[in-house]
Amino acid sequence: MYASTVRGLLVRGMLAGLIAGLFAFAVAYVVGEPPVRGSIAVEEAQAAQDAASAPSGAHAGHGGDAASGEAAEEEEEVVSRPVQSTVGLATGVLVYGVALGGIAALAFSFALGRVGGFSPRATAALTAAGAFATVYLVPFLKYPATPPAVGNPDTIGQRTTLFFLMILLSVLLGIGAIILGRRLAPRLGNWNATLAASGGFILAVALAFAFLPANDDAVKPGFPAALLWEFRIASLAVQLVLWAVFAIVFGVLAQRLLAARADDAEATARQTAPAVG
């Protein structure tokens, strides 16, 4: 019975993630695409300026023409920008939403009844809020999102590794805070235990921020600050919409599923109970 319930929650979590992904895609396309196009335009303008300022003899001769032709072939886009900004963006966001929805549903299954006497809807909201904070917000505060073509391409591997390391640390610290809060609750009470666990989480995150290296070359010097700020706000808005919609949709679906399972269990118990009298 328990395995069947978890399986049902997993399916509903993936469905809720898909629906949330649709809303997140709409926000990403409307709000996120303009700064992406702007950053690409800045990069292209900078490349044109660098080419114009290069010594004229550097591209002269047959060898220069061949090199220019090879560079043009290397820079040719495999997928056009219109496809990237529509089909590609939708595919990425929807797959991301479904995957995170499934993971969040499993986390919900574990948290239900273990983090307090909350209803399924409230537990879904708390799970989504915790996932948003640990998986995105905390890593974002340390390593904020940057639009394409603005960082040093030679360090993208290092920057990616640092970002995922921050996600792992944030998730582990979040789990540790939950365990600490549960252990302190019998002695301090739920409210004080929650405050103590939250304070411990914030302190541990601050120490991680202090000791992990910064992304000093994530943004090229001279990149428009307003465009960078617009992109980061758009990135934050996409994640907020994704997790908010997931919390609402999954909360409703989980509430209905668990209520139906509880009714079935009660009916089965009445049928199998021995007659009295």
Side-chain angles (χ1 to χ4, degrees), residues 180-190 192-193:
L180 177 62
R182 290 189 61 194
R183 291 186 176 180
L184 292 177
R187 288 184 294 169
L188 303 180
N190 290 333
N192 292 331

Side-chain angles (χ1 to χ4, degrees), residues 25-173:
F25 164 68
V27 175
Y29 183 77
V30 174
V31 180
E33 271 301 304
V36 171
R37 290 194 295 266
S39 66
I40 293 175
V42 170
E43 177 68 14
E44 291 175 346
Q46 183 63 46
Q49 182 179 354
D50 293 343
S53 61
S56 58
H59 301 292
H62 179 72
D65 293 341
S68 299
E70 291 177 0
E73 289 180 0
E74 290 178 358
E75 294 178 0
E76 184 179 357
E77 291 181 338
V78 177
V79 181
S80 65
R81 271 298 300 158
V83 174
Q84 292 177 15
S85 62
T86 53
V87 178
L89 178 62
T91 301
V93 173
L94 292 179
V95 171
Y96 179 79
V98 170
L100 287 187
I103 295 173
L106 295 178
F108 168 88
S109 301
F110 175 80
L112 185 64
R114 292 185 172 92
V115 293
F118 298 104
S119 68
R121 288 187 182 182
T123 304
L126 291 173
T127 302
F132 168 75
T134 56
V135 176
Y136 181 79
L137 183 59
V138 170
F140 175 85
L141 294 176
K142 175 62 177 177
Y143 302 118
T146 56
V150 302
N152 185 354
D154 296 332
T155 61
I156 188 171
Q158 177 186 354
R159 289 186 277 121
T160 302
T161 300
L162 288 173
F163 181 73
F164 281 104
L165 176 60
M166 191 66 243
I167 292 177
L168 178 62
L169 285 175
S170 178
V171 171
L172 292 177
L173 291 174

Side-chain angles (χ1 to χ4, degrees), residues 212-238:
L212 284 176
N215 278 345
D216 295 329
D217 56 353
V219 180
K220 293 179 180 178
F223 187 82
L227 187 59
L228 179 63
W229 179 253
E230 183 181 351
F231 176 83
R232 288 176 173 173
I233 291 297
S235 175
L236 184 61
V238 170

